[in-house]
Amino acid sequence: MNTKSASVKLDNVTKNYGAVTAVINLTLAIKAGELVTLLGPSGCGKTTMLRMIAGLEEVTSGSIQFNDLDVTDQSATYRNVAMVFQSYALFPHMSVLDNVSYGLSVSGFEKKKIKAKALAGLAMVGLTGYESRMPSELSGGQQQRVAVARAVVLEPEVLLFDEPLSNLDAKLRRHVREEIRQIQQELGLTAVYVTHDQEEAMAVSDKIVVMQRGEIAQAGSPSDLYQSPESAFIADFIGDANVIPCTTVSTDKNTAVISVDGVLINSTAAKTISTPLNLVVHPQNIRVSNEESTTSLAGKIQHAAFLGSHIEYEVKTEVATLFVIDNQMQSRYQKDDSVFAHLPKNKTSLVPA
């Protein structure tokens, strides 16, 4: 564990921009050494929340604490934080080594130590030998790694990431996010990571905080949010789940038997069984075939897309249009084909409609 890493606590934090409230009475605790991702659609308040932790935005009400020390009124200059930006924010006229050294030099480090720390930071992100290159001579992924090195060498109490991978292509995003996660874990850094990409959030996070309209919709581990969503919004946002109207037949402690247009399914019961209810089914747990079964819904293919490793279907049924991911690809169906969508007998959950 990095002894400099700080726990972070937000207590009833609100941020107003005139008549607009961007963050509403938000309370969150982040453990030292934990990577927490703020996830949500554009305009949900996640970047505003990150900037308040950084000290770049003033808090309208509430408090922010690092290691139980109130930093609410401290500017970014006096908070021991570092940020990795979406745009990398490298100095184009400086070499890679000078970019990584810059924060150390303005922070008052001894000159003889600056170069050694900067070289160690570049080695950490796999860029030894790139010291004399200019940012324009690097790929997007290499520039992002320079930005990470520049932040990490400052040994911040809290490391902040503002959509750091959004400018990279899909393959490079996977590679760089793995590097970021590895560095964070090896150094025991407290990190707060902002993204709108749920796959990215699930790949890097100890805990995900899903935000909606300035509030926390649900917080938990990636598996908790994926397997046990508490609302239709979470179910749809995490994993593109199908949210299907249903009715309850019977309940028993943590399980329920529910009906989807007469098809009986076992499901993990919602915390509070209420009506109306929706059944949550992930797209890879639905099977499409030409044969009817006791758990199938008749439908018609509305859309089919071959994506190499899998096929994506949209199947219109009487109760809902289902999104299906077929990883087996034993059969291929075309638009307007009549099929049966087979719901799983379990691997489902319930949320209030």
Side-chain angles (χ1 to χ4, degrees), residues 229 231-238 240-246 260 277-283 286 319-323 349-353:
S231 67
F233 170 75
I234 297 295
D236 181 58
F237 201 80
I238 302 291
D240 296 320
N242 295 283
V243 181
I244 308 168
C246 65
V260 177
L277 283 172
N278 283 326
L279 180 71
V280 176
V281 188
H282 289 106
I286 301 176
V319 292
T321 297
L322 305 178
F323 175 48
S349 57
L350 294 171
V351 295

Side-chain angles (χ1 to χ4, degrees), residues 47-122:
T47 298
T48 299
M49 185 171 159
L50 188 79
R51 291 176 62 83
M52 286 192 289
I53 294 172
L56 298 172
E57 294 280 358
E58 293 183 357
V59 173
T60 303
S61 63
S63 66
I64 298 176
Q65 299 172 25
F66 288 2
N67 282 339
D68 299 323
L69 176 67
D70 195 321
V71 298
T72 310
D73 297 324
Q74 289 184 357
S75 68
T77 305
Y78 298 102
R79 298 188 195 186
N80 187 8
V81 301
M83 184 177 286
V84 178
F85 295 94
Q86 175 181 345
S87 60
Y88 317 141
L90 301 180
F91 297 110
H93 63 286
M94 290 185 180
S95 68
V96 166
L97 183 63
D98 288 341
N99 265 282
V100 177
S101 302
Y102 181 79
L104 295 168
S105 63
V106 299
S107 297
F109 277 81
E110 296 179 30
K111 287 186 178 180
K112 62 182 180 181
K113 292 183 178 180
I114 290 176
K115 184 174 181 179
K117 287 181 70 68
L119 290 172
L122 288 171

Side-chain angles (χ1 to χ4, degrees), residues 222-233:
S223 61
D224 286 343
L225 267 63
Y226 186 81
Q227 296 171 1
S228 303
E230 295 177 358
S231 67
F233 170 75

